[in-house]
């Protein structure tokens, strides 16, 4: 039972069998009506818009191992599903139950876009600050001098670092020390000169390095959240049709114990953490 960012989950309420429409279907088709209904919901959940074309009901019947007539009866006769103008059917109850899920998913997507855009703007701002400083340096001195201990790059780093997010304080000095590790002082001095001269390759190299540092920071921050997350918050939530009764921390995984007496010890912490961020509190 893999748990990821979107495992195609939808709520299965414990009293669903007592719904009037479902009971009527069970009276006429037996327990198979219940199976067809929920397998159909699973198929709908897999679709991008939770809809499925009526013309392909034969595919569903073959997949479910039942007859086309029985699938048609469940979909058309009990008010469990509705059909739109494009001849696609859907479950109003399922769409309503997933509304909050979709809202949270969209909010997280927009936050991710905003965060990525902000990081790209921060990097671009650094480059602009660097280019502005090198422009001023050329105006002050026709032949700027370079050395490995004190240089214009150090001044640039101080100026640029003021614009860096407090969580990410990677400077041009850091980049030079890493990029020139094991190289001669002359090589490092040459790189400083290329920065001053706004060499596009040098600037792009620094840009790529800085993005990599930010991505590493974000991975470490996320891992810290995963390691310190209170996984007891999962207790009472549903995964599929199972309710989590208790959990045990097993190192890199979480051992889940369900109310039906079964258990699962294969769930990585990262998957459960991400799943909770998307589904937390929705179907507890």
């Amino acid at each position: 039972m893999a748990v990821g960012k979107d495992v195609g989950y939808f709520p299965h309420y414990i009293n669903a069998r007592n719904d009037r429409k479902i009971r009527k279907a069970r009276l006429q088709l037996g327990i198979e009506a219940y199976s067809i209904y929920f397998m159909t919901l699973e198929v709908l959940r897999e679709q991008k818009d939770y809809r499925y074309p009526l013309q392909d009901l034969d595919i569903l019947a073959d997949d479910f191992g039942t007859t086309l007539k029985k699938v048609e009866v469940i979909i058309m006769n009990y008010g469990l599903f509705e059909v739109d103008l494009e001849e696609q059917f859907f479950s109003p109850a399922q769409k309503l139950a997933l509304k909050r899920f979709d809202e949270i998913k969209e909010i997280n997507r927009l936050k991710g876009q905003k965060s990525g855009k902000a990081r790209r703007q921060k990097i671009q701002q650094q480059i602009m600050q660097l280019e502005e400083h090198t422009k001023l340096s050329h105006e002050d001195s026709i032949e700027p001098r370079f050395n490995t201990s004190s240089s214009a790059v150090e001044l640039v780093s101080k100026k640029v670092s003021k614009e860096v997010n407090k969580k990410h304080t990677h400077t041009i000095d850091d980049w030079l020390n890493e990029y020139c590790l094991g190289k001669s002082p002359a090589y490092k001095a040459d790189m400083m000169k290329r920065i001053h001269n706004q060499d596009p390759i040098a600037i792009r190299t620094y840009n790529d390095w800085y993005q990599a540092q930010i991505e590493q920071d974000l991975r470490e921050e996320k891992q810290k959240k995963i390691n310190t997350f209170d996984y007891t918050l999962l207790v009472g939530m549903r995964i599929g049709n199972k309710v989590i009764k208790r959990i045990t921390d097993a190192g890199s995984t979480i051992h889940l114990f369900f109310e039906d007496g079964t258990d699962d010890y294969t769930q990585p912490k990262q998957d459960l953490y991400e799943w909770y961020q998307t589904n937390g509190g929705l179907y507890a």
Side-chain angles (χ1 to χ4, degrees):
M1 178 182 11
V3 177
K5 293 183 178 180
D6 183 358
V7 295
Y9 175 81
F10 67 90
H12 180 149
Y13 299 106
I14 59 175
N15 62 344
R17 68 188 183 282
N18 294 321
D19 179 86
R20 179 179 57 81
K21 299 174 183 178
I22 295 178
R23 290 189 67 180
K24 182 171 288 189
R26 288 168 56 202
L27 282 172
Q28 297 181 0
L29 295 178
I31 190 64
E32 189 175 6
Y34 199 68
S35 300
I36 294 173
Y37 173 65
F38 274 100
M39 284 192 289
T40 302
L41 289 182
E42 290 174 1
V43 171
L44 291 176
R45 181 61 180 86
E46 293 172 340
Q47 313 308 308
K48 185 176 181 180
D49 56 357
Y50 310 142
R51 298 169 186 265
Y52 195 88
L54 282 176
Q55 65 181 16
D56 291 337
L57 292 186
D58 56 337
I59 297 177
L60 293 187
D62 181 69
D63 183 28
F64 298 167
T66 188
T67 66
L68 174 59
K69 183 62 177 177
K70 288 181 179 179
V71 174
E72 289 176 338
V73 167
I74 293 297
I75 292 173
M76 305 300 294
N77 287 15
Y78 302 105
L80 295 168
F81 301 95
E82 293 182 8
V83 180
D84 63 20
L85 296 177
E86 297 179 353
E87 293 294 300
Q88 296 190 98
F89 71 92
F90 62 94
S91 165
Q94 184 184 58
K95 287 177 70 69
L96 180 62
L98 291 170
K99 181 178 180 181
R100 179 60 177 159
F101 170 86
D102 289 333
E103 289 174 347
I104 292 177
K105 188 175 179 180
E106 178 64 11
I107 289 172
N108 289 338
R109 185 186 70 82
L110 293 174
K111 284 182 177 179
Q113 287 184 347
K114 182 178 180 181
S115 176
K117 182 178 180 180
R119 289 197 300 272
R120 290 192 294 272
Q121 289 177 339
K122 186 67 67 177
I123 294 169
Q124 187 60 37
Q125 191 175 32
Q126 277 195 298
I127 295 173
M128 291 174 63
Q129 291 286 340
L130 172 61
E131 292 175 342
E132 177 64 21
H133 184 82
T134 55
K135 178 180 178 182
L136 294 175
S137 297
H138 281 296
E139 292 175 353
D140 292 338
S141 174
I142 296 177
E143 271 185 60
R145 291 174 294 173
F146 302 94
N147 57 65
T148 58
S149 59
S150 177
S151 68
V153 172
E154 183 176 352
L155 297 176
V156 173
S157 298
K158 292 179 179 178
K159 185 178 182 65
V160 171
S161 62
K162 292 179 181 179
E163 305 299 328
V164 183
N165 188 302
K166 292 181 179 179
K167 291 184 179 180
H168 312 294
T169 56
H170 306 291
T171 67
I172 293 178
D173 273 339
D174 296 333
W175 169 67
L176 280 171
N177 289 333
E178 181 177 320
Y179 190 76
C180 300
L181 183 66
K183 305 292 185 179
S184 66
Y187 182 88
K188 185 174 183 179
D190 178 66
M191 287 304 300
M192 294 176 183
K193 188 171 183 178
R194 291 172 63 184
I195 288 291
H196 262 294
N197 292 334
Q198 303 180 54
D199 179 78
I201 296 178
I203 291 176
R204 185 167 61 251
T205 302
Y206 167 72
N207 185 7
D208 293 343
W209 173 86
Y210 185 82
Q211 289 188 63
Q213 299 307 306
I214 298 300
E215 291 170 0
Q216 178 63 28
D217 287 349
L218 293 174
R219 285 193 294 270
E220 292 176 355
E221 289 169 12
K222 181 178 180 179
Q223 190 60 51
K224 183 177 179 180
K225 291 178 180 178
I226 291 171
N227 292 337
T228 58
F229 178 69
D230 182 7
Y231 288 91
T232 60
L233 293 173
L234 299 174
V235 174
M237 295 188 66
R238 290 177 178 275
I239 298 181
N241 62 350
K242 296 176 180 287
V243 179
I244 301 173
K245 183 177 182 180
R246 63 186 178 90
I247 66 100
T248 300
D249 192 325
S252 62
T253 62
I254 294 294
H255 194 160
L256 303 175
F257 297 86
F258 301 103
E259 290 186 353
D260 63 0
T262 60
D263 67 319
D264 184 351
Y265 56 86
T266 65
Q267 298 301 331
K269 284 183 175 179
Q270 178 174 338
D271 287 354
L272 287 170
Y273 171 81
E274 292 175 347
W275 177 76
Y276 181 83
Q277 301 310 307
T278 301
N279 299 278
L282 291 180
Y283 310 121

